[in-house]
């Protein structure tokens, strides 16, 4: 099928890569040429890394790249799309505006998906004249590695749209879990609940970030501890999700003061070089506030 991904950032280019590796023709669209070029370059780098590690064949690399194109022209990008996935920043009004613009140019039967991790899909769908073709496709970061996709059903999502979404996820070699449109869905709600408690434990001196993460990695077989994961996702993103869940579900999701301080100080995690950990070249080299020998 023809797939368009709107937004060439971390999630957008990852979703584009997964879609192209699944055999679909993919157009990656963003508002500036540099953004598009950066997204395509990141895909190529991911594929090169996969080849080096023996996870991707040279033939699969070439075939994937041949299915990818980039553009800043939204009308051109969605003109023949069977599926459009928006992967723009987590701002509800922005997502509504983008999908409304997509609907103005895409065929009437194009499925319109949002990659939101926590915003209400029902509300986003309400911006469309035909909300029945809207669904949440919540990929996980990084999409080319993570196997799970939440298929989030808005109140308006039709059975045909649901079936299309589940089939698409299967076709790109991912596993779908289907959830109703509730605050935080399933994964964000559970993941943030664990993450916020880990922050509270650091704040109250229960244990160090390294020991808390090691406890979950070794004791519960988590591939990554909740504090490291927060750094990878972005502490600003975690704060936004907590604020939304607090408003919808109550005070148990109140953001800890320590998390607010980190965000105010722009210690947002991996992307800024420091969060709960200190990062260099994408790797942890220390713990924030500690002098590692």
């Amino acid at each position: 099928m023809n797939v368009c991904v709107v937004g060439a950032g971390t999630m957008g280019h990852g979703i584009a890569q997964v879609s192209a590796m699944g055999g679909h023709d993919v157009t990656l669209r963003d508002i500036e040429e540099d953004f598009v070029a950066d997204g395509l370059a990141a895909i190529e780098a991911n594929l090169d890394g996969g080849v080096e590690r023996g996870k991707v064949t040279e033939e699969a690399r070439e075939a994937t790249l041949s299915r990818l194109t980039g553009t800043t022209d939204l009308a051109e990008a969605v003109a023949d799309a069977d599926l459009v996935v928006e992967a723009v920043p987590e701002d509800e009004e922005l997502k509504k505006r983008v999908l409304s613009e997509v609907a103005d140019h895409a065929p009437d039967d194009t499925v319109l998906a949002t990659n939101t991790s926590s915003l209400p899909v029902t509300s986003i769908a309400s911006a469309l004249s035909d909300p029945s073709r809207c669904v949440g496709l919540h990929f996980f970061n990084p999409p080319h590695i993570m196997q799970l996709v939440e298929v989030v059903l808005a109140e308006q999502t039709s059975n045909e749209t649901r079936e299309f979404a589940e089939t698409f996820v299967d076709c790109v070699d991912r596993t779908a879990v289907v959830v109703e449109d509730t605050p935080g869905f399933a994964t964000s709600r559970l993941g943030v609940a664990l993450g916020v408690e880990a922050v509270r434990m650091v704040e109250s001196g229960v244990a160090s970030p390294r020991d808390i993460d090691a406890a979950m990695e070794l004791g519960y077989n988590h591939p990554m501890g909740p504090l490291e994961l927060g750094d990878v996702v972005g502490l600003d993103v975690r704060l936004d999700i907590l604020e939304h869940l607090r408003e919808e579900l109550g005070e148990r999701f109140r953001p800890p003061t320590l998390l607010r301080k980190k965000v105010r100080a722009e210690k947002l995690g991996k992307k800024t070089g420091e969060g709960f950990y200190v990062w260099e070249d994408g790797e942890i080299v220390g713990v924030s506030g500690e002098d590692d020998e």
Side-chain angles (χ1 to χ4, degrees):
M1 68 177 73
N2 293 321
V3 177
C4 174
V5 180
V6 181
T10 299
M11 295 305 299
H13 74 247
I15 295 168
Q17 176 180 335
V18 167
S19 300
M21 292 185 78
H24 305 300
D25 293 322
V26 181
T27 302
L28 183 62
R29 187 266 178 180
D30 213 314
I31 57 175
E32 294 185 16
E33 291 285 358
D34 286 349
F35 297 162
V36 175
D38 288 347
L40 293 173
I43 293 172
E44 187 167 357
N46 287 342
L47 291 168
D48 288 344
V51 171
E52 290 174 7
R53 294 189 298 274
K55 302 292 186 181
V56 178
T57 66
E58 187 64 41
E59 292 76 16
R61 174 191 180 279
E62 294 302 318
T64 298
L65 292 175
S66 73
R67 298 186 191 106
L68 285 159
T69 57
T71 184
T72 58
D73 188 327
L74 182 64
E76 173 189 315
V78 305
D80 298 314
D82 299 293
L83 169 68
V84 177
V85 182
E86 70 77 12
V88 302
E90 284 286 280
D91 179 292
E92 185 175 332
E93 293 308 312
L94 175 60
K95 289 180 180 290
K96 286 181 177 180
R97 185 166 67 251
V98 167
L99 284 183
S100 293
E101 292 174 2
V102 167
D104 289 340
H105 299 288
D108 290 342
D109 59 350
T110 300
V111 170
L112 307 179
T114 173
N115 182 56
T116 182
S117 60
S118 62
L119 296 173
V121 179
T122 298
S123 178
I124 293 169
S126 70
L128 303 172
S129 58
D130 179 11
S132 70
R133 58 177 173 153
C134 186
V135 67
L137 285 177
H138 177 206
F139 284 78
F140 287 75
N141 186 21
H144 69 288
I145 300 294
M146 303 297 284
Q147 289 297 305
L148 181 66
V149 180
E150 274 187 309
V151 175
V152 185
L153 305 179
E155 290 289 335
Q156 310 97 317
T157 302
S158 68
N159 287 333
E160 292 78 9
T161 299
R162 171 184 174 160
E163 291 170 4
F164 179 100
E166 290 185 80
T167 299
F168 169 74
V169 172
D170 185 60
C171 285
V172 296
D173 197 27
R174 294 297 183 269
T175 300
V177 293
V178 180
V179 300
E180 296 296 327
D181 183 26
T182 56
F185 314 142
T187 55
S188 291
R189 186 166 167 179
L190 287 170
V192 167
L194 179 61
V196 72
E197 192 59 29
V199 175
R200 291 186 184 119
M201 289 168 69
V202 173
E203 190 172 52
S204 60
V206 172
S208 70
R210 285 193 188 277
D211 285 345
I212 291 169
D213 280 349
M216 298 310 298
E217 291 166 12
L218 302 177
Y220 288 84
N221 206 28
H222 288 198
M224 184 182 298
L227 296 164
E228 181 181 350
L229 180 59
D231 270 12
V232 170
V233 170
L235 299 185
D236 54 336
V237 175
R238 277 285 166 93
L239 178 59
D240 287 344
I241 293 172
L242 281 169
E243 294 283 24
H244 172 66
L245 292 179
R246 178 191 181 190
E247 182 178 335
E248 295 287 337
L249 299 173
E251 289 300 304
R252 68 185 184 277
F253 289 101
R254 175 191 288 272
T257 300
L258 177 57
L259 179 61
R260 293 189 186 278
K261 286 181 176 179
K262 293 278 189 187
V263 173
R264 289 193 193 109
E266 297 189 358
K267 295 180 178 180
L268 308 181
K270 185 177 180 179
K271 60 188 174 184
T272 61
E274 184 174 355
F276 283 95
Y277 295 97
V278 179
W279 298 79
E280 288 182 8
D281 298 324
E283 301 292 333
I284 293 174
V285 296
V287 177
S288 179
E290 296 182 5
D291 293 321
D292 286 4
E293 296 294 332

